Amino acid sequence: MERIYFDNAATTAIDPEVFDAMVPFLKEHYGNPSSIHAFGRRSRAAIEQARRSIAGLLNCMPGEIIFTSGGTEADNMVLMCSVRDLGVKHIITSRIEHHAVELTAEAIAQEGTAKVHWVRLHPDGMPDMTHLEELLKVTEGEGVLVSLMHANNELGTRVDLSEVGVLCHRFGALFHSDTVQTMGHYPFDLSTLEIDFVTCSAHKLHGPKGVGFLYMRSGAGMKPMFLGGAQERNMRGGTENMAGIVGLAKALEIAYRDLEEHHRHIQGLKERMMKRLKEEVPGVSFNGDVSEQSLYTVLNVRFPEDGKSEMLLYNLDIEGIACSGGSACSSGSNKGSHVQEALYPDAEGASIRFSFGRFNTMEEVDRAVTALKRIFQLEPVKA
Ligand code: PLP
């Protein structure tokens, strides 16, 4: 049985071109980038080339890119260091942020170093902009960081970054967006967007795991979270993940080179899945926003099943289909999704996230629909 991978929001397969670009930095070019000899200089040049390439794609300055171990570290850094270094006394965020933001905000609130305000959400997961404005008004001038993700990893609901950024800056608040699910899927012009921090993870865009970056607007003034080395212009101690950084830059380069083609292809997969499920599986509905504005890689489906999402996930796995009940972190544990809990606490049925990537095909969508119909006994049992 050929397995189908519809869990691209959890992680993606490494692109062969990315892999090839990384290999020399695992084999030949092993010099420590901080060493001043030729081996070290070769490695340093590759890191700086990667930084320039990423900055070029996002229209920011190379010095504004800080390589990290991924999205979680970058998100933690923004919240923790902005409270510690930038006089942030209020964090405005939401209950459907990735845990890297939500739990960090909760930890900060518990320590008592800043107050956390949870912005109200519409049923599709969009922040209530009127409430956001009210929160910004009452905290104005007291040191505020707003952290709202660009697109939700479970629902695909996508926030308008320019609208939120303009509002935040109007009230003098800093704005961070976790763009882990959208980086490489949409163009970003960081020179015009009103945004102070953006976070990225390579493994969500066909790059390697364990590497990502924080974009920090020049002059933001945050200090490092990890001490012990002068790497990343004193912003992150620790010998750099050389091959990872090279792979990240390559992955982003490919993503932006072929962006329109990938968008069209993946959007087509999502639309076909939606259409077929609506027509052929009675009682299905969709969680979050599914309009054209939503993230085209994610489709969150609610099935009218009496049982639990875990049972449906298990049956899909037996059929050879990998998808998820929530984010990757919660799908392996017995806990339900905090996003579903925040938005649809009384919902019945089983919610499943299908997330598509450029290596998926229409044929796989059709096979998945057939498998679902078999599970729901709408299709004759396999011989
Ligand atoms: N933010 C979002 C929205 C994510 O989906 C993820 C990954 O699940 C992360 C942050 C964490 O990124 P990483 O796996 O690189 O730590």
Side-chain angles (χ1 to χ4, degrees), residues 41 76 126 129 159 176 197 221 228 257 295 371:
R41 289 200 307 274
N76 268 263
M126 285 288 187
M129 295 298 284
V159 161
H176 161 238
F197 308 101
R257 184 187 68 199
L295 174 60

Side-chain angles (χ1 to χ4, degrees), residues 72-94 97-109 111 113-114 116 118 145-148 175-178 197 199 214 222 225:
T72 303
E73 180 190 329
D75 284 343
N76 268 263
M77 195 167 158
V78 174
L79 270 70
M80 288 186 183
C81 300
S82 65
V83 171
R84 188 193 61 191
D85 305 327
L86 306 181
V88 165
K89 292 277 170 263
H90 299 271
I91 295 174
I92 301 177
T93 184
S94 93
E97 295 302 302
H98 188 271
H99 274 158
V101 167
E102 198 204 13
L103 298 187
T104 308
E106 273 182 3
I108 290 170
E111 276 167 17
T113 40
V116 177
W118 305 102
L145 172 76
V146 173
S147 180
L148 290 172
F175 178 36
H176 161 238
S177 186
D178 175 330
F197 308 101
T199 39
L214 161 66
M222 229 157 60
M225 186 162 75

Side-chain angles (χ1 to χ4, degrees), residues 289-332:
D289 176 28
V290 284
S291 73
E292 283 222 335
Q293 159 74 17
S294 67
L295 174 60
Y296 55 89
T297 54
V298 170
L299 179 65
N300 196 307
V301 187
R302 189 179 306 158
F303 292 95
E305 194 204 22
D306 322 323
K308 294 226 156 47
S309 303
E310 291 88 78
M311 205 53 219
L312 186 49
L313 279 174
Y314 174 75
N315 285 326
L316 281 163
D317 192 30
I318 289 179
E319 290 276 356
I321 298 156
C323 45
S324 162
S327 72
C329 336
S330 61
S331 60

Side-chain angles (χ1 to χ4, degrees), residues 198-274:
V198 153
T199 39
C200 166
S201 173
H203 73 101
K204 308 287 184 175
L205 55 123
H206 303 284
K209 292 169 181 60
V211 65
F213 66 81
L214 161 66
Y215 156 82
M216 177 168 83
R217 181 173 293 289
S218 142
M222 229 157 60
K223 296 195 179 72
M225 186 162 75
F226 295 163
L227 304 173
Q231 289 89 353
E232 295 301 289
R233 296 173 172 82
N234 284 316
M235 276 308 296
R236 185 199 187 254
T239 302
E240 298 88 336
N241 176 357
M242 282 289 315
I245 290 171
V246 169
L248 162 60
K250 189 71 184 172
L252 209 60
E253 179 196 315
I254 297 169
Y256 284 120
R257 184 187 68 199
D258 304 329
L259 184 88
E260 279 170 31
E261 184 194 326
H262 294 158
H263 187 147
R264 214 173 315 114
H265 172 65
I266 302 168
Q267 182 89 46
L269 301 174
K270 174 171 167 172
E271 276 167 15
R272 184 172 182 91
M273 184 93 171
M274 271 174 72

Side-chain angles (χ1 to χ4, degrees), residues 46-67:
I47 292 184
E48 295 316 320
Q49 175 50 40
R51 200 188 312 277
R52 277 196 301 276
S53 160
I54 293 170
L57 293 167
L58 305 179
N59 206 10
C60 65
M61 288 189 287
E64 295 176 314
I65 300 292
I66 301 158
F67 292 116

